[in-house]
Amino acid sequence: MTKQKSKLIIRIALFVGTVISLFFVPWILVKAWIIPMPDTVQEQVNEALDYGFDGIIVYVDESGKDPAFYAAGWHDRENKIPAKPNALFKLASISKLYNAVAITKLVHDQLLSLDKTVADYFPELVGRVENAHKITVRMMVQHRSGIPNYTDTFNYWAAPKESYQERLELVLDLPANFEPGEDYEYSNTNYLLLAELMDRVLGYDHFQYIREEILMPLGLKNTFGSLKEVNIDDVMSGYYVGYDADLKTDKQGMLATAEDVGIFIRALNDGSLFREGEQEIYSSIYGYEHTGLIPGYQSIAKYHKDMDAVIIQFTNTTNFDGYNWNLSEIIYSRIVKIVRNGHGA
């Protein structure tokens, strides 16, 4: 075969490969990236509805400016109630920031040790959680324990468990995913155990500790530990693509307004949340921003140091098999650019 023929075959193969790959490109993501940037945050928030989100809330706190609130779409689709900037929203994994701060404060006060193990604090789990004698509190905080994630068990979200014991039972006696401290893998089981550990050490519900040590000092009155503490009408409805029911009555942990989360994120990042000696502990075990995702609710909470701004985004439509999460990240990144360019409402 001549070199000329070989080059022709290679070019044809590349062309065919390109055509095939274009067929599988998620064009909705491409569109979200390349369409012209709107002039204001509110316009970008409005555009989120074009990508299948039923509702969206955004909170922006720039240093030297009054906080700004944005919303579009539905607070309650069935009852045609417009989205409310001050609605309560399910925080999902953003709550891990609050728990990590609580762990920090308990460690600082010598009520907990980062270096004690699962076996030390949960002797009943020896033989049921692999490596219980090796897994430290620090490893659980940092998702370096190797304990399997209970929310990854088969068909978990079809019928979520509510109690500590029911959730834990899903992963007891399973092999570890890796040797403790040797790898990283996000596991909600870590924080299930940490919450139970705090309850045991304190002798009362750890959220009461969070309220007293974190929320009250910051003046946060719209952050709650569970649905039973709130008026359900104040909670933004949550939807899953292809599923008609409103998911807001599912019991899935902490709730808060975007403003409350924003105030917390700023205090976490500027250090005002901590007493002397606490921030060094916290910085050694966890991060300063987070996202959250459960059926019906996805959220992004970050501080942007370059412009001294906190931006919180809540979107209330999810699809674990689709592109909703990617779209929410694209929308968020565009909002950040708009704020960085000095544009607001």
Side-chain angles (χ1 to χ4, degrees):
M1 184 181 293
T2 66
K3 288 184 178 181
Q4 189 173 2
K5 286 184 177 179
S6 296
K7 288 181 179 179
L8 178 60
I9 291 172
I10 291 172
R11 287 173 181 171
I12 292 172
L14 289 172
F15 175 77
V16 171
T18 300
V19 171
I20 293 173
S21 66
L22 286 174
F23 179 78
F24 293 102
V25 167
W27 287 106
I28 190 170
L29 299 183
V30 175
K31 177 187 175 184
W33 268 118
I34 67 174
I35 62 172
M37 190 80 69
D39 293 327
T40 68
V41 172
Q42 185 61 59
E43 288 176 288
Q44 182 62 64
V45 168
N46 293 343
E47 284 185 8
L49 306 183
D50 297 334
Y51 297 98
F53 293 106
D54 287 278
I56 177 172
I57 295 170
V58 172
Y59 169 87
V60 178
D61 169 29
E62 291 183 85
S63 179
K65 297 182 180 181
D66 291 335
F69 303 82
Y70 308 91
W74 299 117
H75 174 85
D76 184 324
R77 184 176 66 197
E78 182 179 356
N79 294 305
K80 305 300 181 187
I81 300 173
K84 306 173 183 179
N86 62 343
L88 294 174
F89 199 86
K90 297 181 184 182
L91 299 186
S93 286
I94 289 176
S95 64
K96 291 181 174 65
L97 293 174
Y98 299 78
N99 285 314
V101 171
I103 291 287
T104 294
K105 290 179 177 291
L106 290 169
V107 169
H108 179 266
D109 291 344
Q110 299 184 340
L111 295 174
L112 276 179
S113 169
L114 289 171
D115 298 317
K116 285 192 173 183
T117 66
V118 169
D120 292 325
Y121 286 121
F122 299 93
E124 74 277 12
L125 297 183
V126 174
R128 304 211 65 191
V129 171
E130 190 174 0
N131 301 315
H133 289 287
K134 299 179 183 178
I135 298 168
T136 64
V137 171
R138 185 189 308 273
M139 291 174 187
M140 288 193 287
V141 174
Q142 296 177 329
H143 297 292
R144 298 180 65 82
S145 69
I147 302 174
N149 182 8
Y150 71 86
T151 61
D152 285 344
T153 56
F154 178 72
N155 220 22
Y156 176 80
W157 291 112
K161 308 299 183 183
E162 294 186 7
S163 75
Y164 160 76
Q165 195 60 43
E166 286 177 320
R167 293 171 178 176
L168 185 61
E169 286 287 345
L170 294 173
V171 297
L172 291 181
D173 305 318
L174 293 181
N177 289 344
F178 52 84
E179 279 293 305
E182 295 299 313
D183 203 346
Y184 170 93
E185 186 172 87
Y186 194 89
S187 174
N188 288 306
T189 311
N190 290 316
Y191 278 76
L192 177 71
L193 289 168
L194 290 170
E196 175 67 14
L197 174 56
M198 287 190 281
D199 288 353
R200 295 185 184 188
V201 168
L202 291 165
Y204 55 89
D205 191 293
H206 68 282
F207 187 77
Q208 180 61 29
Y209 182 81
I210 288 174
R211 180 180 287 114
E212 294 171 356
E213 298 294 324
I214 300 173
L215 306 182
M216 291 175 65
L218 295 177
L220 302 181
K221 299 179 180 179
N222 293 299
T223 302
F224 303 94
S226 68
L227 276 179
K228 65 184 179 182
E229 301 176 35
V230 307
N231 181 340
I232 194 68
D233 291 336
D234 294 333
V235 180
M236 192 177 199
S237 294
Y239 305 101
Y240 195 91
V241 174
Y243 185 66
D244 292 333
D246 185 342
L247 300 172
K248 71 178 176 182
T249 57
D250 288 359
K251 298 174 182 177
Q252 297 293 341
M254 286 179 62
L255 306 96
T257 61
E259 180 179 25
D260 263 30
V261 175
I263 292 170
F264 167 78
I265 291 293
R266 180 169 287 282
L268 177 67
N269 280 270
D270 68 19
S272 60
L273 183 58
F274 299 106
R275 295 171 293 174
E276 185 177 355
E278 290 180 346
Q279 189 163 19
E280 291 80 2
I281 296 170
Y282 183 85
S283 294
S284 73
I285 60 173
Y286 213 61
Y288 286 80
E289 60 184 43
H290 223 290
T291 59
L293 176 63
I294 55 174
Y297 299 86
Q298 49 196 33
S299 48
I300 303 175
K302 295 183 180 182
Y303 168 73
H304 301 270
K305 186 176 180 179
D306 65 307
M307 53 183 174
D308 192 9
V310 171
I311 302 178
I312 311 298
Q313 178 179 288
F314 295 159
T315 48
N316 70 342
T317 310
T318 59
N319 182 359
F320 294 174
D321 298 318
Y323 298 110
N324 292 60
W325 179 257
N326 308 84
L327 287 166
S328 72
E329 288 186 314
I330 292 171
I331 292 164
Y332 185 88
S333 69
R334 288 164 69 89
I335 288 171
V336 171
K337 289 179 182 178
I338 293 168
V339 174
R340 186 173 284 122
N341 290 335
H343 299 291

